[in-house]
Amino acid sequence: MIPSGILESALYVDDLDKAEAFYGGVLGLERISRVGNRHVFFRCGDGVLLLFNPAETVKPPAPDAKLPVPPHGTKGEGHLCFRATGEEIERFRAHLESHGVAIEADFHWPPRGGEPSGGRSIYFRDPAGNSLEIA
């Protein structure tokens, strides 16, 4: 068996208000839901981006919880890569810079496996320090 794709990706953030403003406002993702200071979820293409507050998700669910999701969380910065065309990457770079988001790296990958040219990636950080890439 091989999974057909990734349905959800998760990052951990310490300030949901800042994260919601960044992912919804700057990146323009559609918010699906928010539960207090625990999490905020966004639609991204066919998938969902889950942003969790690790201080809340390490707590076990109540015995009568309707959604008995096991505790989880992590420490430190994570990484997520968004897919875009070459033209979109250029527009994203300008858009991010206009919102005061620093681009940490912008480079072209070398060709591989018979491809005529490699892809392009730009890297930047969200307010929690997670490394984000658009490629």
Side-chain angles (χ1 to χ4, degrees):
M1 295 290 303
I2 298 173
S4 61
I6 294 175
L7 178 63
E8 300 172 338
S9 297
L11 290 174
Y12 293 85
V13 300
D14 53 359
D15 187 325
L16 285 181
D17 292 333
K18 285 182 182 176
E20 185 173 7
F22 180 81
Y23 286 92
V26 176
L27 293 185
L29 299 181
E30 174 192 355
R31 188 181 86 166
I32 298 170
S33 68
R34 178 168 174 170
V35 173
N37 196 36
R38 184 181 188 279
H39 66 257
V40 60
F41 297 166
F42 290 93
R43 170 90 34 225
C44 185
D46 292 336
V48 177
L49 173 58
L50 311 174
L51 299 176
F52 290 110
N53 177 347
E56 296 296 320
T57 58
V58 296
K59 299 174 184 175
D64 61 345
K66 292 180 183 177
L67 297 172
V69 176
H72 57 87
T74 188
K75 302 266 189 246
E77 294 85 16
H79 173 73
L80 187 70
C81 180
F82 297 98
R83 180 181 345 167
T85 66
E87 181 182 298
E88 290 168 335
I89 291 171
E90 191 58 41
R91 291 197 327 254
F92 265 116
R93 180 185 174 104
H95 176 76
L96 291 166
E97 289 176 334
S98 76
H99 282 85
V101 178
I103 304 299
E104 292 187 322
D106 181 347
F107 64 93
H108 295 268
W109 294 90
R112 60 185 170 152
E115 295 175 354
S117 65
R120 178 181 178 195
S121 290
I122 59 172
Y123 290 85
F124 54 100
R125 301 269 171 182
D126 74 4
N130 290 301
S131 173
L132 301 177
E133 176 184 5
I134 298 178

